[in-house]
């Protein structure tokens, strides 16, 4: 059995190998560190094996004039960050955890606190080395096999298996972050605060207490940050990776309930005294606060959880966002963490998640209500002209997804061109994308689930 | 000791790859030996990019082919200007069932893990002596502690390595040679992929860090994870008729 980060389990088995050309030979799907919450890194029904890239993690080259770094797809973001921060470089985009692979970052076209300024990760990728479904090795980039490139960035692994990724690192003035944070009383103030911060700060985001209602709806803490100047960093030494503690076992399913979440949220909000704080902080505390706790997903118990993340276009204004939160409150969707972020323009990639507007991410424990909650939220999102993030999703229904994604037919056309037989699939693609005539079940006794492609680069297993 | 000149046979995968990264990131100069030249080059580039140092030219050395040993050690001495430490993580593994089914496979494994490893270490030892002593760190296994049902042949090959290293220690310690015999328990690597992990399974990075600490201190025997020291103390003392009974 295998799950995503939300611990919702399905049949699946990980195959690993240091040699990526051997690993992806005939593979149905690649998987990285399994930090996508839902079913995007799980094999489709009827297939057992996924090709997990985490042993194919070599750094291949670095050009210290341009900052161009080439790594194998399984390289860990954590390793990239800590190999380069002390040398004055940082990744152009990081998601909220460093325990992801660079391949997974491309496949989900991840965004971070800097989206309004830096865009998604794909905007900084210069080359991809990809094995397409026929077994061929293809190089693509923004100006080379550009359609394949645009479908692969954000394409959730469905256009081919990434072997190597080249992207541009960014210079930083010091390895420390200067952060300001501020308690905000309601949603309107929050959206205004995010907008204002976006103009002046490279990194912004907010945490919202989504159990607060009425006038206090949308209260929370707003964070903004930038790299500290060498003067601000002062005599601090180069920061080191933080030690981690582990959640040793799954919490009982009742541990996280409306009450405990309410207490937690109130503590964060009221605990933020004084109202506004500022200072130099460790980059992991700023970018990856949850990474200090290994396997924190166990606090949701054995039933697991899902994350619901959507983006609402700027045009819906604060009323639109308000309406979304009101719906959430009606549904009683208690959420431990709700993160809100101001997004910049949508990228050229065909299925990339962010669009100009407001992104909202909530964790939801799985119970009998989850499907109802997700369906109801999706209806709001469709009406408001937004969309959901595939890297987080496990519950969205096909009709809702199609209603949110006018770009889908272009993506599917490119995918079909490189993979007419749809050999590359995931549990998520079977749920949301694949046509009904796609190969539903393949004999699972076969090691790879499908016959090996006999392309010119077909490996030698 | 950082800035050491280290030769590593087996650095393309698993525990060896993890050791090579830790050593080069702390400033040691690590030269890789192995059987696939293209793959070695990628691993050497990995160390260079991660550490920010220049890549070090690796050389072909195949434990299945003893004719490659002398040349590989000579190459390393020349490139590094002398060798302070030699690490051998390279080894062969197959299940007892596979080895029983094909005696040639059993012969090849015994050659790679024992006789050829000894021959390689003899070349390495001479090079270390030329630089004034040094450390020879070779990976054996807890499987070499006692003859056991699931690892009759592999275990015997590792028992040979353990005995060889202890003998070297007694014979050459006075001349400045330090031997480190690392005995891992089950570690999650490609070698054990597909096998069911027993209790106390370790990770490559953890075992790598313990082996390096052992080299820095000159510890003759390193059990990794360390719980295996106590497990093996018990197992070594179980009478044979009991071992036979429990079919362990
Ligand atoms: C705590 C936490 C915080 C997060 N914060 C953010 C955030 O701020 N912004 C954001 O954008 N995301 C965020 N995420 C989501 C995460 O960044 C993405 O899901 C990312 O894709 C995970 O990478 P992974 O290596 O774990 O990939 P997996 O989860 O293993 O796989 C994800 C997708 O990538 C594909 N894939 C992986 N490797 C390859 C390859 N070699 N070739 C082709 N396809 C491949 C898989 O098929 C799958 O579709 C967060 C996740 C967590 C757990
Ligand atoms: N993993 C365990 O559970 C475990 C337990 C006890 C002891 N050990 C011992 O620990 C050591 C390291 O194991 P590991 O798990 O890291 O193994 P691994 O991941 O399989 O790596 C083995 C390494 O040895 C190299 N190698 C294999 N045969 C070779 C040959 N003929 N010539 C040259 N190089 C060769 C491989 O190179 P290629 O890339 O060319 O294949 C690879 O770099 C071994 O001695 C093993 O016996 C391991």
């Amino acid at each position: 059995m295998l799950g995503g980060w939300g611990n919702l389990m399905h049949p699946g088995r990980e195959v690993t190998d240091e040699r990526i050309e051997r690993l992806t030979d005939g593979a149905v799907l690649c998987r990285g560190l399994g930090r996508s919450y839902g079913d995007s890194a799980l094999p489709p029904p009827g297939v057992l094996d996924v090709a997990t890239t985490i042993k194919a993690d070599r750094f291949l080259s670095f050009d210290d004039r341009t900052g161009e770094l080439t790594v194998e797809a399984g390289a860990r973001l954590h390793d990239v960050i800590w190999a380069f921060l002390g040398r004055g470089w940082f990744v152009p985009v990081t998601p909220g955890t460093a325990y992801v692979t660079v391949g997974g970052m491309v496949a989900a076209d991840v965004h971070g606190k800097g989206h309004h300024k830096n865009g998604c990760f794909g905007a900084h990728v210069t080359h991809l080395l990809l094995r397409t479904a026929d077994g061929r090795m293809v190089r693509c980039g923004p100006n080379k096999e550009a359609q394949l490139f645009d479908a692969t960035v954000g394409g959730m692994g469905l256009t081919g298996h990434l072997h190597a990724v080249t992207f541009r690192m960014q210079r930083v003035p010091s390895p420390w972050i200067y952060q300001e944070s501020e308690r905000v009383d309601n949603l309107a103030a929050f959206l205004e605060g995010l907008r204002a911060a976006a103009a002046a700060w490279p990194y912004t985001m907010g945490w919202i207490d989504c159990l607060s209602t009425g006038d206090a709806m949308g209260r929370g803490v707003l964070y903004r940050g930038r790299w500290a100047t060498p003067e601000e960093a002062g005599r601090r030494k180069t920061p080191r990776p933080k030690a981690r503690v582990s959640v040793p076992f799954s919490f009982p399913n009742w541990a996280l309930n409306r009450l405990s979440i309410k207490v937690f949220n109130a503590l964060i909000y009221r605990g933020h005294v004084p109202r506004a704080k500022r200072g130099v902080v460790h980059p992991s505390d700023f970018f990856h606060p949850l990474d200090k706790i290994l396997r924190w997903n166990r606090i949701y118990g054995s039933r697991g959880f899902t994350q619901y993340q959507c983006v609402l276009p700027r045009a819906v204004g604060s009323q639109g966002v308000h309406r979304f939160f009101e719906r959430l409150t009606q549904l009683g969707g208690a959420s431990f963490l709700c993160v809100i972020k101001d997004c910049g323009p949508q990228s050229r990639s065909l299925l990339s998640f962010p669009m100009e507007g407001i992104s909202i991410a909530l964790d939801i424990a799985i119970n009998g209500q989850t499907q109802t909650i997700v369906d109801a939220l999706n209806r709001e999102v469709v009406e408001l002209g937004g969309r959901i993030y595939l890297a987080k999703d496990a519950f969205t229904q096909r009709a809702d997804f199609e209603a949110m994604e006018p770009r889908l037919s272009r993506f599917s056309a490119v995918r079909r061109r490189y993979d007419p037989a749809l050999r590359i699939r995931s549990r998520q693609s079977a749920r949301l994308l694949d046509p009904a005539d796609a190969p539903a079940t393949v004999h699972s006794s076969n090691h790879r689930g499908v016959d090996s492609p006999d392309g010119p680069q077909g490996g030698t297993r | 000791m950082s800035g050491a000149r280290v030769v590593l046979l087996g650095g393309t995968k698993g525990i060896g790859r993890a050791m090579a990264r830790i050593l080069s990131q702390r400033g040691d100069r690590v030269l890789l030996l192995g059987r696939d030249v293209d793959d070695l080059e990628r691993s050497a580039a990995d160390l260079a990019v991660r550490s920010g140092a220049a890549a070090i030219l690796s050389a072909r050395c195949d434990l299945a082919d003893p004719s490659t040993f002398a040349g590989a050690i000579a190459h390393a001495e020349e490139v590094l200007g002398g060798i302070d430490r030699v690490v051998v993580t390279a080894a062969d593994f197959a299940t007892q069932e596979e080895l029983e089914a094909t005696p040639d496979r059993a012969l090849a494994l015994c050659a790679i893990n024992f006789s050829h490893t000894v021959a390689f270490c003899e070349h390495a030892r001479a090079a270390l002596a030329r630089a004034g002593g040094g450390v020879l760190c070779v990976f054996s296994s807890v499987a070499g502690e006692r003859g056991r049902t699931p690892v009759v042949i592999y275990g015997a090959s590792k028992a040979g390595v353990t005995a060889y290293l202890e003998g070297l220690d007694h014979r050459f310690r006075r001349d400045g040679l330090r031997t480190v015999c690392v005995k891992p328990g089950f570690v999650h690597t490609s070698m054990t992929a597909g096998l069911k992990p027993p209790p106390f399974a370790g990770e490559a990075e953890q075992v790598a860090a313990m082996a390096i600490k052992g080299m820095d201190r000159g510890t003759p025997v390193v059990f990794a994870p360390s719980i295996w020291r106590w497990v093996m103390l018990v197992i070594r003392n179980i009478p044979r008729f009991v071992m036979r009974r429990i079919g362990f």
Side-chain angles (χ1 to χ4, degrees):
Chain A
M1 298 296 272
L2 195 59
W5 187 242
N7 279 334
L8 197 58
M9 306 308 266
H10 292 287
R13 186 170 64 192
E14 295 183 273
V15 178
T16 62
D17 201 312
E18 278 88 351
R19 307 278 185 100
I20 197 154
E21 40 320 333
R22 221 158 39 194
L23 178 69
T24 63
D25 184 13
V28 171
L29 188 73
C30 273
R31 174 180 168 107
L33 277 157
R35 258 32 176 218
S36 50
Y37 284 70
D39 53 4
S40 58
L42 300 181
V47 177
L48 211 50
D49 289 348
V50 285
T52 293
T53 60
I54 54 174
K55 285 188 187 140
D57 65 346
R58 287 181 287 201
F59 295 12
L60 298 174
S61 67
F62 180 64
D63 182 335
D64 58 10
R65 286 159 309 154
T66 61
E68 252 185 35
L69 174 67
T70 301
V71 298
E72 289 180 335
R76 276 199 317 187
L77 174 59
H78 181 267
D79 292 11
V80 173
I81 289 175
W82 291 105
F84 283 95
L85 193 56
R87 290 188 248 165
W89 297 94
F90 194 71
V91 286
V93 173
T94 170
T97 172
Y99 294 99
V100 295
T101 63
V102 174
M105 291 170 71
V106 172
D109 197 17
V110 297
H111 61 278
K113 293 182 171 159
H115 187 268
H116 60 283
K117 204 134 199 165
N118 269 347
C120 288
F121 188 67
H124 308 271
V125 171
T126 54
H127 296 283
L128 295 174
L129 180 63
L130 190 72
R131 171 179 254 157
T132 47
D134 55 6
R136 268 188 319 139
M137 299 300 304
V138 184
R139 265 177 208 289
C140 63
N143 305 314
K144 188 176 181 186
E145 300 256 9
Q147 289 196 331
L148 180 62
F149 179 77
D150 291 342
T152 300
V153 172
M156 303 311 288
L158 300 174
T159 56
H161 308 309
L162 288 161
H163 281 200
V165 176
T166 305
F167 63 98
R168 269 200 205 98
M169 299 282 287
Q170 290 184 345
R171 280 237 172 249
V172 291
S174 85
W176 295 89
I177 289 284
Y178 178 84
Q179 169 185 290
E180 289 185 3
S181 57
E182 182 189 351
R183 225 163 64 196
V184 182
D185 296 331
N186 59 52
L187 195 59
F190 218 115
L191 297 177
E192 228 163 78
L194 276 172
R195 263 317 247 171
W201 295 77
Y203 302 117
T204 65
M205 67 82 110
W207 159 87
I208 280 191
D209 171 5
C210 48
L211 290 182
S212 55
T213 52
D215 287 346
M217 179 187 283
R219 70 173 188 181
V221 181
L222 173 69
Y223 298 85
R224 31 184 194 252
R226 57 169 169 74
W227 290 99
T229 62
E231 295 72 41
E232 286 163 341
R235 294 226 297 274
R236 287 180 182 81
K237 293 210 201 88
T238 304
R240 294 163 57 81
K242 292 236 155 178
R244 306 170 76 194
V245 294
S246 179
V247 177
F249 51 81
S250 286
F251 279 25
N253 288 335
W254 47 260
L256 272 199
N257 54 41
R258 230 185 138 74
L259 182 67
S260 63
I261 294 172
K262 207 163 191 144
V263 170
F264 172 85
N265 278 335
L267 278 177
I268 294 201
Y269 179 73
R270 300 227 181 276
H272 195 276
V273 272
R275 202 179 168 81
K277 296 197 240 191
R278 60 189 57 192
V280 173
V281 298
H282 190 284
S284 300
D285 288 338
F286 184 72
F287 291 112
H288 313 121
L290 289 171
D291 282 357
K292 274 175 286 189
I293 307 166
L294 197 68
R295 310 192 66 174
W296 61 262
N297 52 349
R298 288 177 168 177
I299 63 171
Y300 284 92
S302 58
R303 289 175 309 194
F305 70 113
T306 185
Q307 185 163 91
Y308 186 86
Q309 183 169 4
C310 64
V311 57
L312 303 176
R314 184 84 67 208
V316 306
S318 95
Q319 302 95 299
V321 181
H322 213 100
R323 181 173 140 187
F324 179 87
F325 276 102
E326 241 155 30
R327 191 83 188 94
L328 180 69
T329 309
Q330 284 165 11
L331 290 162
S335 172
F336 190 42
L337 269 182
C338 172
V339 171
I340 182 162
K341 163 85 194 117
D342 184 61
C343 290
Q346 134 177 347
S347 82
R348 55 184 269 178
S349 308
L350 299 180
L351 278 189
S352 180
F353 163 68
M355 64 164 82
E356 175 102 39
I358 292 290
S359 148
I360 301 160
L362 347 139
D363 287 0
I364 304 176
I366 290 175
N367 58 34
Q369 296 303 303
T370 312
Q371 186 67 52
T372 318
I373 294 176
V374 170
D375 288 345
L377 294 178
N378 277 342
R379 224 148 294 138
E380 292 297 323
V381 171
V382 169
E383 274 177 37
L384 292 166
R387 60 179 171 242
I388 53 117
Y389 189 11
L390 288 175
K392 308 287 176 81
D393 184 60
F395 286 91
T396 290
Q397 316 231 21
R398 184 184 283 250
D400 289 335
F401 183 65
E402 285 170 352
M404 294 170 193
E405 276 297 357
R407 305 173 298 177
L408 189 56
S409 58
R410 276 172 67 208
F411 174 80
S412 296
V414 180
R415 181 179 173 212
R416 274 281 187 181
R417 188 150 81 247
Y418 286 90
D419 185 9
L422 294 191
R423 290 180 200 227
I424 299 179
R425 287 169 302 131
S426 65
R427 192 169 184 92
Q428 184 168 66
S429 80
R431 178 166 59 86
L432 292 176
L433 298 169
D434 304 347
D437 61 353
T441 311
V442 203
H443 33 287
S444 60
S445 57
N446 181 329
H447 175 57
R448 289 299 181 186
V450 293
D451 300 332
S452 264
D454 40 14
Q457 301 281 335
T460 52
R461 180 175 290 277
Chain B
M1 172 169 163
S2 89
R5 299 163 294 181
V6 185
V7 173
L8 204 164
L9 174 58
T12 48
K13 285 184 183 160
I15 303 166
R17 181 183 277 194
M19 286 182 77
R21 285 177 179 167
I22 298 173
L23 292 171
S24 60
Q25 275 177 323
R26 75 176 190 182
D28 287 357
R29 296 177 60 210
V30 181
L31 186 144
L32 300 178
L33 301 178
R35 53 184 167 175
D36 179 329
V37 184
D38 291 340
D39 201 50
L40 276 173
E41 204 175 298
R42 277 201 291 265
S43 285
D46 176 53
L47 301 181
V49 177
R50 281 175 187 255
S51 68
I56 298 175
L57 193 62
S58 39
R60 181 162 175 271
C61 179
D62 185 348
L63 271 182
D65 178 5
S67 72
T68 59
F69 299 169
I73 292 289
H75 163 88
E77 275 189 298
E78 192 186 316
V79 169
L80 298 175
I83 304 173
D84 303 311
R85 294 175 170 196
V86 175
V87 183
V88 182
T89 61
D92 193 8
F93 178 82
T95 62
Q96 180 62 18
E97 290 70 27
E98 286 172 74
L99 295 171
E100 282 170 5
T102 337
D104 283 348
R105 181 80 186 76
L107 177 63
L109 179 134
C110 290
I112 288 173
N113 286 4
F114 179 64
S115 47
H116 293 179
T117 294
V118 168
F120 175 81
C121 290
E122 289 300 303
H123 287 282
R125 188 176 56 69
L128 289 170
R130 283 193 283 278
V135 182
L136 175 64
C137 171
V138 184
F139 276 63
S140 178
S141 169
V142 295
E145 297 292 280
R146 192 83 205 253
R148 293 200 302 109
T149 313
V151 283
V152 174
I153 297 172
Y154 171 80
S157 75
K158 290 297 191 182
V161 170
T162 300
Y164 168 65
L165 285 169
E166 180 170 0
L168 283 186
D169 182 19
H170 299 323
R171 190 171 168 89
F172 295 107
R173 195 177 184 83
R174 248 170 285 129
D175 304 331
L177 180 72
R178 292 287 176 277
T179 59
V180 178
C181 177
V182 185
K183 299 177 181 177
F186 187 102
V187 188
H188 291 284
T189 66
S190 293
M191 187 172 273
T192 53
L195 303 180
K196 195 167 166 277
F200 323 124
E203 298 298 330
E205 290 72 22
Q206 168 195 18
V207 172
M210 293 182 70
I212 289 169
K213 201 159 128 197
M215 284 204 291
D216 290 344
R217 296 187 178 166
T219 316
V221 176
V222 175
F223 284 91
S226 43
I227 176 96
W228 286 102
R229 172 177 300 277
W230 311 112
V231 175
M232 282 301 142
L233 184 66
V234 173
I235 289 181
R236 270 197 307 273
N237 287 295
I238 298 177
R240 182 180 290 231
F241 74 91
V242 178
M243 281 293 269
R244 212 178 274 137
R245 268 278 176 76
I246 56 183
F248 180 65

